[in-house]
Amino acid sequence: MSTLFVEYFRGENMNTPYIRIKELADEKKVSIAEIERKLDFSSGLIGKWKTAQPSADKLAAVADYFHVSTDYLMGRTTDQNIQTTQPDERPKLQKIARNASKLNDEDLDRLDQVMGLIFNKAFKKDK
């Protein structure tokens, strides 16, 4: 019987995100510390989620890392396979996407211009 099942029915589901992350980490044979390093989290941050709820952006980063939904990590669903497409696993690309999502429209326009210059240069090499 999974730890999550036991904890949920004892009414101690505050730490559901931590339990789900720990189960996913065990399945992938990766440590919590390794996840924190890959996602540029402070050391011990995920462990704090045993007694406190994570912020939405941090939870989303972990969900992206494991290719599951935030609803799965929060215990709102048991379905891990919500996504229909396989996201890119490169941490730098995920970090860029997370940071870009926080920009205002003006800064997004500037980022789009810079990316356009980089892409034009990179794609000309392919021709």
Side-chain angles (χ1 to χ4, degrees):
M1 185 177 312
S2 83
T3 308
L4 178 62
F5 181 82
V6 172
E7 295 295 326
Y8 183 80
F9 283 99
R10 279 198 297 188
E12 299 172 11
N13 58 354
M14 165 71 88
N15 61 357
T16 299
Y18 176 80
I19 292 168
R20 289 267 170 107
I21 292 165
K22 180 70 174 125
E23 288 175 348
L24 289 166
D26 290 347
E27 287 173 19
K28 303 276 187 195
K29 298 185 180 3
V30 62
S31 70
I32 296 294
E34 177 74 15
I35 297 165
E36 290 170 338
R37 281 191 297 275
K38 285 186 177 183
L39 297 177
D40 291 326
F41 290 178
S42 60
S43 179
L45 177 69
I46 293 174
K48 291 178 182 176
W49 299 347
K50 292 177 188 176
T51 57
Q53 290 296 316
S55 64
D57 63 322
K58 300 292 186 194
L59 191 69
V62 175
D64 289 346
Y65 177 84
F66 284 113
H67 310 295
V68 298
S69 70
T70 54
D71 281 340
Y72 175 76
L73 293 179
M74 293 298 294
R76 295 182 184 135
T77 181
T78 58
D79 185 3
Q80 289 185 19
N81 303 313
I82 300 297
Q83 297 178 350
T84 57
T85 60
Q86 191 72 322
D88 196 309
E89 293 184 13
R90 294 176 289 179
K92 285 184 182 178
L93 188 58
Q94 292 175 358
K95 184 177 179 181
I96 291 168
R98 280 193 312 274
N99 289 333
S101 71
K102 299 173 191 172
L103 296 175
N104 62 37
D105 288 342
E106 183 180 329
D107 290 336
L108 277 174
D109 288 341
R110 284 194 296 236
L111 177 62
D112 184 49
Q113 290 172 353
V114 171
M115 288 173 54
L117 294 171
I118 293 169
F119 292 152
N120 285 338
K121 182 178 178 183
F123 296 142
K124 282 182 183 177
K125 291 178 186 176
D126 292 341
K127 291 182 180 180

